[in-house]
Amino acid sequence: MKGYAMLGIGKTGWIEKSYPKYGPLDAIVKPIAVSPCTSDVHTVWEGAIGERKDMILGHEAVGEVVEVGELVRDFKPGDKVIVPAITPDWNSLQSQAGYSMHSGGMLAGWKFSNFKDGVFGEFFHVNDADGNLAILPEGVDAAAAVMLSDMVPTGFHGVELADIQFGDDVCVIGIGPVGLMAVAGAALRGASNLYAVGSRPNCVKIAREYGATDIINYREGDIVEQIMEKTHGKGVDRVVIAGGDVDTFIQATKMVKPGGRIGNVNYLGSGDYVKIPRAEWGCGMGHKVIAGGLMPGGRLRMEKLVTLMQTGRLDTSKLLTHKFKGFEKMEEALMLMKDKPKDLIKPIVII
Ligand code: NDP
Ligand code: ZN
């Protein structure tokens, strides 16, 4: 079968691979719609997780079940399914401890385009199908539902990590697709003043539509100064980091109030150390909590999140700025994600 792969750090191309093997609990799925992720860009062009050879890319998909193992109970060939980017081993000790995303080791719940072939193939393997697939409900658009694989759960996890409460003043740093979903999630969680940091005009427009009350342009001056000015020197209760780099933690620490929380979901592709400013961190005593996490995956989360689309509380279709038709367009879509033209939020490939 064919797939679009990482051939090595900085190199991608089409490859031939054998049809995936599967065990009694697993499923084989063929993609219906897929989207590339900024994480694929970190993985290939920054070599952020190290060398990977001939590994099919992609971890965001809605697909159709082709085959299931003999012990799979709830899915059968022909079912249309949402496939989360993170597919934990649900019987692992890490899952039992509440950190399924780290089942099998740190970040090892993230399997597609990390430890095994991803979803940019004609077929792909899903471990623990009953725990990791969710039926795509009738009436939910497959392309919009691809955003449930990664963008929605990641952005929302930033909100969970920051533990946003009703009436909190919140700053979301970065309003690419992940940050936009953090803005939407923060609004659903009851943020009051919701500051969104970014510069691309269409991201800014959509951030407002998802609930941002103020836009902070990081290209037009220090974001800490801008936040301090808007909050009359008080700072914000919560920060979600969904963009920037290792230095962004300096700004986040400075702008959050004592007792505040910073939730990071940004994948730090480069830089050896994350920087925390000593004095603004209260010399280590400021009760400014910094939490960073990989999104939770699995079936229950997918089933719950899709209900937000069904009830009209979340419209993910706004993220889909570039639409492609045909399997072979995966290459073009990934390159677009790498080059990030100004009007891009997310490309989608419908197969
Ligand atoms: P984008 O590149 O589309 O968006 C990044 C955002 O950050 C943009 O709004 C950009 O602004 C802004 N930005 C860039 N530099 C700075 C800066 N110095 N200061 C403030 N803002 C800045 O990324 P995505 O939304 O696709 O993804 C965000 C991150 O989340 C990526 O690192 C991705 O790999 C990661 N990720 C993490 C996952 C997890 O489970 N934790 C899962 C999926 C993704 P501008 O408007 O100028 O472009
Ligand atoms: Zn991703």
Side-chain angles (χ1 to χ4, degrees):
M1 63 163 206
K2 232 170 100 172
Y4 196 73
M6 171 170 181
L7 307 176
I9 292 176
K11 278 183 281 176
T12 57
W14 291 100
I15 56 168
E16 270 302 321
K17 282 227 156 165
S18 47
Y19 185 79
K21 291 192 176 70
Y22 63 101
L25 294 168
D26 308 340
I28 302 297
V29 175
K30 67 173 182 188
I32 293 173
V34 298
S35 183
C37 178
T38 303
S39 301
D40 292 313
V41 177
H42 291 307
T43 300
V44 177
W45 286 282
E46 289 180 37
I49 50 174
E51 186 64 276
R52 298 288 190 275
K53 273 219 158 310
D54 297 345
M55 177 186 69
I56 296 178
L57 288 164
H59 50 256
E60 300 181 15
V62 161
E64 182 181 321
V65 175
V66 179
E67 294 191 76
V68 292
E70 60 195 296
L71 297 179
V72 174
R73 294 180 312 263
D74 299 338
F75 298 89
K76 57 181 187 319
D79 284 346
K80 293 199 169 50
V81 288
I82 305 162
V83 186
I86 307 302
T87 53
D89 296 316
W90 288 98
N91 61 2
S92 66
L93 294 180
Q94 292 90 349
S95 293
Q96 291 183 31
Y99 291 93
S100 58
M101 60 292 268
H102 303 298
S103 64
M106 190 160 65
L107 308 182
W110 170 25
K111 296 181 173 14
F112 294 126
S113 71
N114 183 4
F115 295 122
K116 71 171 187 185
D117 285 328
V119 302
F120 292 177
E122 285 177 278
F123 302 95
F124 58 86
H125 165 269
V126 179
N127 60 294
D128 215 341
D130 282 322
N132 284 321
L133 294 175
I135 293 287
L136 176 71
E138 286 282 327
V140 176
D141 176 54
V146 174
M147 297 300 102
L148 297 175
S149 295
D150 192 359
M151 298 299 98
V152 180
T154 298
F156 281 23
H157 194 46
V159 170
E160 290 170 325
L161 291 168
D163 193 23
I164 292 173
Q165 304 290 323
F166 296 120
D168 276 345
D169 282 351
V170 175
C171 178
V172 175
I173 303 180
I175 47 170
V178 170
L180 286 169
M181 288 301 94
V183 169
L188 284 166
R189 277 273 188 119
S192 54
N193 293 298
L194 182 37
Y195 306 100
V197 180
S199 77
R200 282 178 278 162
N202 64 340
C203 292
V204 163
K205 176 176 170 284
I206 289 169
R208 287 195 188 280
E209 290 173 17
Y210 281 130
T213 54
D214 295 75
I215 304 296
I216 309 279
N217 189 333
Y218 68 96
R219 295 178 195 271
E220 287 175 0
D222 180 46
I223 63 172
V224 179
E225 279 172 23
Q226 295 186 63
I227 287 282
M228 287 305 173
E229 198 183 312
K230 284 187 184 279
T231 59
H232 310 289
K234 292 200 188 101
V236 292
D237 300 294
R238 300 292 192 256
V239 179
V240 178
I241 302 178
D245 55 25
V246 289
D247 290 337
T248 306
F249 291 79
I250 300 174
Q251 296 162 318
T253 307
K254 286 182 178 174
M255 70 171 73
V256 79
K257 291 176 192 171
R261 292 183 72 97
I262 299 165
N264 175 72
V265 286
N266 196 21
Y267 172 175
L268 299 169
S270 54
D272 288 332
Y273 296 97
V274 168
K275 296 175 195 151
I276 303 167
R278 183 189 59 82
E280 288 86 353
W281 203 41
C283 304
M285 300 174 285
H287 288 104
K288 296 186 175 186
V289 176
I290 303 172
L294 179 66
M295 62 158 259
R299 173 178 175 177
L300 180 63
R301 178 137 299 218
M302 293 300 110
E303 287 184 354
K304 286 204 154 192
L305 292 178
V306 78
T307 63
L308 291 175
M309 291 175 68
Q310 289 178 292
T311 52
R313 291 198 189 279
L314 180 68
D315 176 7
T316 58
S317 67
K318 290 177 199 277
L319 301 179
L320 308 179
T321 50
H322 292 63
K323 295 185 186 169
F324 296 94
K325 183 91 188 93
F327 183 77
E328 68 290 349
K329 294 288 185 184
M330 286 176 184
E331 178 172 13
E332 208 176 318
L334 180 69
M335 293 309 162
L336 201 65
M337 206 64 192
K338 173 175 175 266
D339 298 338
K340 295 253 160 89
K342 269 201 164 346
D343 60 342
L344 176 81
I345 300 181
K346 272 299 254 195
I348 183 92
V349 183
I350 297 154
I351 289 129

